[in-house]
């Protein structure tokens, strides 16, 4: 079957990701700085409003698509007709011929989460988790270090303005795609939308995030078919339980030469163990 690409319609130009501002530093002096933009984006499904996300605005079409897929509202790429983005009214509409089952029931059942930039999941988000069977992939410790070094070249908005999270889709130590947004879940949904649209397989990939490894993050990565999850931040109890349930190798607090494997240690080849730091007296 040939790849299917829905029609993308943008009725306004792309929006800036940062703006220049003036601030007063600790010396009482005026300095020129940039801060991250934050704007609402209302996601529509067949012109039915679903949610309003607070976003940087880098790839609204992929964000809307990935959000609706991860929440369980849509599942058939072949039936997508168009994606319409209009920043004049801060909206992204997904138009599909797919039959949307139990839409009102899903919208009525929602859970407030710890996610920054989003914070709500709907009924249907947990559907199908028992059917996920992720492959067990082995990687080398040295490759983790190389990936962490390479990922540092992709945090452009963070370096310029701060106040954003970043997520990367990686093949070994190479970064295939990288997205920054004001919320970590916006970034993962954007990558999910890109992967779905391009029919990119996940079984050979590693997912990197600067954000916490919560239950919502673990579920989304599992739905993307990615078996290894790597974070600069920590993990939560429910996130760990779900990683164990679905066989995700979970690596947290990864920075420099340090990391903590909370699940899947058998999938890591320890070929670059660093020298131990001398103990403090």
């Amino acid at each position: 079957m040939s790849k299917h690409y829905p029609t993308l319609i943008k009725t306004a130009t792309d929006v800036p990701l940062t703006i220049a501002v003036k601030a007063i530093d600790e010396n009482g002096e005026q300095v020129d700085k940039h801060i991250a933009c934050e704007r609402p984006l209302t996601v529509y499904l067949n012109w039915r409003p679903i949610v309003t996300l607070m976003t940087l605005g880098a790839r609204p079409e992929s964000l809307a698509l990935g959000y609706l897929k991860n929440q369980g509202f849509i599942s058939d790429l072949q039936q997508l007709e168009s994606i319409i983005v209009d920043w004049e009214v801060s909206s992204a509409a997904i138009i599909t011929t797919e039959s949307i089952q139990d839409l009102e029931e899903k919208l009525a059942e929602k859970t407030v989460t710890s996610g920054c930039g989003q914070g709500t999941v709907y009924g249907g988000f947990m559907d199908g988790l028992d059917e996920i069977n992720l492959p067990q992939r082995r990687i080398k410790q040295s490759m983790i270090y190389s990936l962490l070094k390479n990922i540092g070249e992709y945090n452009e908005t963070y370096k310029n303005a701060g106040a954003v999270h970043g997520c990367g889709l990686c093949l070994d130590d190479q970064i295939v795609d990288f997205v920054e947004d004001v919320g970590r879940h916006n970034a993962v949904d954007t990558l999910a939308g890109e992967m779905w649209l391009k029919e990119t397989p996940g079984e050979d990939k590693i997912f990197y995030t600067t954000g916490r490894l919560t239950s919502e993050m673990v579920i989304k990565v599992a739905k993307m078919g990615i078996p290894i999850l790597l974070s600069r931040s920590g993990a939560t109890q429910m996130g760990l339980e779900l990683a164990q349930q679905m066989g995700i190798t979970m690596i947290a607090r990864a920075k420099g030469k340090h990391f903590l494997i909370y699940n899947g240690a058998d999938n890591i080849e320890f070929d670059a163990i660093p020298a131990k730091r001398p103990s403090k007296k």
Side-chain angles (χ1 to χ4, degrees):
M1 183 181 294
S2 60
K3 290 187 178 181
H4 172 72
Y5 297 98
T7 302
L8 174 61
I9 302 171
K10 283 191 175 183
T11 58
T13 57
D14 293 334
V15 292
L17 305 185
T18 64
I19 60 169
V21 298
K22 296 185 182 299
I24 304 298
D25 68 11
E26 68 279 4
N27 299 311
E29 298 177 354
Q30 181 174 284
V31 291
D32 294 322
K33 292 293 180 180
H34 283 79
I35 59 173
C37 293
E38 183 181 17
R39 49 182 61 86
L41 180 72
T42 300
V43 177
Y44 291 81
L45 178 56
N46 290 343
W47 302 114
R48 168 72 158 87
I50 302 298
V51 70
T52 297
L53 307 173
M54 300 306 298
T55 177
L56 197 65
R59 303 188 209 173
E61 62 280 4
S62 297
L63 171 57
L65 192 63
Y67 179 86
L68 292 176
K69 183 179 186 298
N70 278 338
Q71 294 292 333
F73 289 114
I74 55 177
S75 60
D76 193 340
L77 181 63
Q78 298 300 317
Q79 295 193 60
L80 285 177
E81 287 193 341
S82 59
I83 306 172
I84 304 169
V85 177
D86 187 351
W87 278 119
E88 292 182 357
V89 293
S90 301
S91 69
I94 305 297
I95 308 301
T96 179
T97 58
E98 181 179 351
S99 176
I100 311 301
Q101 301 293 327
D102 304 321
L103 178 59
E104 296 304 323
E105 288 81 356
K106 289 178 179 178
L107 290 174
E109 181 186 346
K110 60 183 178 181
T111 302
V112 177
T113 74
S114 61
C116 44
Q118 291 185 15
T120 300
V121 297
Y122 291 98
F125 179 65
M126 305 282 284
D127 292 350
L129 296 186
D130 292 339
E131 301 172 5
I132 294 176
N133 184 20
L134 297 173
Q136 295 301 296
R137 182 177 171 227
R138 285 183 60 82
I139 59 173
K140 293 183 177 182
Q141 179 180 14
S142 57
M143 193 271 289
I144 296 174
Y145 291 155
S146 180
L147 171 57
L148 292 174
K149 180 180 179 181
N150 292 340
I151 207 83
E153 302 299 320
Y154 287 79
N155 297 304
E156 294 182 10
T157 303
Y158 180 79
K159 291 175 182 177
N160 190 28
V164 296
H165 277 293
C167 289
L169 181 67
C170 311
L171 180 61
D172 295 330
D173 63 350
Q174 300 303 304
I175 291 75
V176 178
D177 200 356
F178 192 86
V179 174
E180 292 177 288
D181 209 312
V182 291
R184 66 187 187 276
H185 288 291
N186 289 345
V188 67
D189 282 340
T190 300
L191 285 175
E194 291 278 352
M195 287 181 67
W196 194 37
L197 199 57
K198 297 174 182 177
E199 300 182 58
T200 303
E203 62 267 14
D204 59 344
K205 304 298 190 300
I206 299 170
F207 195 90
Y208 171 85
T209 177
T210 59
R212 302 183 304 278
L213 300 183
T214 62
S215 58
E216 191 177 356
M217 179 65 73
V218 172
I219 290 170
K220 288 181 177 182
V221 170
K223 287 184 174 183
M224 295 159 72
I226 300 174
I228 301 174
L229 183 52
L230 177 67
S231 174
R232 188 178 68 188
S233 189
T236 68
Q237 165 255 334
M238 191 171 179
L240 174 57
E241 289 177 356
L242 285 167
Q244 292 169 336
Q245 173 186 325
M246 294 184 288
I248 291 179
T249 298
M250 175 187 276
I251 308 170
R253 307 298 294 272
K255 188 175 182 181
K257 297 293 184 181
H258 175 73
F259 58 77
L260 294 171
I261 307 168
Y262 286 108
N263 190 56
D266 291 343
N267 293 326
I268 308 301
E269 179 182 338
F270 290 89
D271 67 331
I273 296 176
K276 291 185 177 180
R277 297 177 181 177
S279 58
K280 294 182 180 180
K281 295 183 179 180

